[in-house]
Amino acid sequence: MLPRHHDPIVAIATAPGRGGVGIVRVSGRGLAPFVQALLGRALKPREATYLPFADAAGQTLDQGLALWFPGPHSYTGEDVLELQGHGGPVVLQLLLARCLEVGRDTVPALRPARAGEFTERAFLNDKLDLAQAEAVADLIDASTEVAARSASRSLAGVFSSRIHGLRDALVNLRMLVEATLDFPEEDIDFLQKADASGQLQRLQDALAGVQAQARQGALLRDGLQVVIAGQPNAGKSSLLNALAGAELAIVTPVAGTTRDVVQQTIQIEGVPLHVIDTAGLRDSPDVDEVEKIGIERAWGRIQRADAVLFLHDLVRSDEPDYQAADASIAATLAATLPPGVPVLHVWNKVDQSGGRAPAALAGQPDALAISARHGTGLEDLRQRLLALAGWQHSGDGLFMARERHLQALRQVSAHLQSAHGLLAARAEHLDLLAEELRLAQQALSEITGEFTADDLLGEIFSRFCIGK
């Protein structure tokens, strides 16, 4: 660890602002003298003590609870002191300053903690692995109940347990390959007798299952960026308001009312969807400079979208000028959207269409007809958005995941796929097979942050017989 990791640290542990309770947390090694100097008494471990918090002159700054967690039985694995007082920003700053003042005489290295440093200490002291440490932030930032429950499962070690299971199977397979490399004089085909091919296939199948769950977990964490695009007055702002259940965007019959992006996060079955309303797309001499900027921003958000709702107006669907403008937008979408970004065609104002919906939808079998004003078809739209997001799970048993985890799992899959091809020609390529398996284990262990070069050695030698 770096020298700074040994410094005692202190910080206000509650969110900024006023609240019923505020917490100042101290973590470090050998804090017992600091506690005695700060509070004038020793504390019983893991027992709340009500007492005054005094300044250097003995005047009471606040009264509250003090909790003492001697290491390693604490969140960080070090000695931890928590002062729980009233949640006013001024009193918390006074308590923080008093801790630093006392620290100058008792623990001179005491300093304010950096962002996330308490959880970093927990990781460095083996109280949490890296995936669990990330789950702490994910639990705090969860925007839906399902996301919060999934983050809690990751914090409890569900995701890490799945990774450890894959790692153990991979280490066992590596042992077989290394044994075949190290003892060629032994006329024993370790790989064939131990069903290495079958082990590798089962490992790949298990990895695919973890990947599928991780993709769902990443969706719960990050959500989906859905941009509503279309011509002016198609009902984009009305649709945003209807999906959000609130009047977020101004709705008028005047073309160009929406001149900037308006975003709202909604949840469908616990999946967060970041729905973005944009300026109406048009190329007209009536467009002023402000609206032109809004249209440019709209295209910018469209290019960064995970999915696009192309909203059409059924009332104007038979007008040649409207059809031409829609065709122009469709061509630009096809040319500018990254590969794989879905475009869902949605026809609005079905309540005013006068029966024109079937003709307009004839060439778009996957399109939806809705009424943003009356709510017709919105439930079908929500379910279609879930399908676009790739949601396939009710949320029970899911764990939280990040894009970093998905990238690592993709690397593992690629290395195992290469290993699969090399295994068929093991006599000539065993060294390459061993390297692919090593790289797969390294990528896998990056998820939990526990990879070291000694891992494999420890596993191998622990299975040797005595004297071998």
Side-chain angles (χ1 to χ4, degrees), residues 50-62:
Y50 180 73
L51 74 177
F53 305 141
D55 62 15
Q59 299 296 314
T60 298
L61 297 172
D62 194 8

Side-chain angles (χ1 to χ4, degrees), residues 70-85:
H73 305 296
S74 68
Y75 177 71
T76 64
E78 304 171 333
D79 292 345
V80 170
L81 173 68
E82 285 194 358
L83 304 177
Q84 300 184 4

Side-chain angles (χ1 to χ4, degrees), residues 109-414:
L110 181 66
R111 60 173 174 79
R114 297 178 295 106
E117 194 167 5
F118 289 99
T119 301
E120 182 185 40
R121 295 284 176 95
F123 166 65
L124 293 172
N125 293 320
D126 296 324
K127 305 297 288 187
L128 301 170
D129 65 30
L130 194 55
Q132 289 175 297
E134 290 171 314
V136 173
D138 293 337
L139 182 58
I140 294 171
D141 294 336
S143 58
T144 69
E145 179 183 349
V146 177
R149 292 183 181 275
S150 297
S152 181
R153 279 187 280 270
S154 285
L155 180 56
V158 174
F159 184 28
S160 300
S161 177
R162 298 294 301 275
I163 297 302
H164 292 159
L166 293 173
R167 181 205 60 190
D168 292 345
L170 184 52
V171 166
N172 189 64
L173 187 56
R174 285 188 65 193
M175 288 173 56
L176 296 174
V177 176
E178 296 288 349
T180 307
L181 278 171
D182 290 343
F183 304 105
E185 70 281 359
E186 302 279 351
D187 190 20
I188 299 174
D189 189 342
F190 290 98
L191 300 181
Q192 183 176 358
K193 288 197 171 185
D195 188 26
S197 180
Q199 288 191 41
L200 179 56
Q201 184 60 57
R202 289 190 290 274
L203 180 58
Q204 289 179 291
D205 293 342
L207 174 64
V210 174
Q211 282 184 292
Q213 282 194 297
R215 283 192 292 269
Q216 300 296 289
L219 179 61
L220 283 176
R221 179 183 183 274
D222 299 325
L224 196 73
Q225 297 282 336
V226 179
V227 175
I228 306 174
Q231 295 189 54
N233 285 345
K236 298 183 296 299
S237 297
S238 296
L239 178 56
L240 173 65
N241 292 342
L243 289 172
E247 296 296 321
L248 302 174
I250 299 173
V251 177
T252 75
V254 179
T257 297
T258 301
R259 297 187 171 218
D260 203 351
V261 296
V262 180
Q263 177 172 329
Q264 176 68 16
T265 297
I266 64 173
Q267 60 168 303
I268 304 174
E269 296 185 13
V271 178
L273 298 180
H274 312 292
V275 184
I276 302 164
D277 178 26
T278 59
L281 305 176
R282 62 172 175 166
D283 185 9
S284 167
D286 297 333
V287 176
D288 59 30
E289 192 63 28
V290 175
E291 186 179 353
K292 186 181 297 184
I293 294 173
I295 293 172
E296 291 175 355
R297 290 184 178 181
W299 281 113
R301 297 306 292 262
I302 289 169
Q303 291 168 7
R304 300 193 301 272
D306 296 317
V308 175
L309 293 186
F310 189 174
L311 196 64
H312 308 271
D313 186 347
L314 275 171
V315 174
R316 294 180 283 167
S317 61
D318 294 335
E319 299 175 7
D321 290 345
Y322 185 83
Q323 293 174 353
D326 256 12
S328 176
I329 294 172
T332 306
L333 285 174
T336 59
L337 281 178
V341 176
V343 177
L344 177 60
H345 293 271
V346 180
W347 289 85
N348 190 27
K349 305 181 185 179
V350 67
D351 55 311
Q352 307 172 43
S353 65
R356 278 172 287 183
L361 299 176
Q364 299 172 343
D366 295 330
L368 294 174
I370 68 165
S371 170
R373 176 182 296 177
H374 297 289
T376 306
L378 288 187
E379 185 55 36
D380 289 341
L381 176 58
R382 293 187 180 98
Q383 294 304 313
R384 189 68 64 86
L385 287 172
L386 283 181
L388 288 178
W391 182 245
Q392 300 173 349
H393 202 284
S394 64
D396 296 335
L398 278 182
F399 48 76
M400 191 66 79
R402 297 184 172 206
E403 180 59 31
R404 179 183 77 83
H405 305 147
L406 298 182
Q407 291 177 0
L409 291 172
R410 285 193 289 267
Q411 291 177 15
V412 176
S413 180

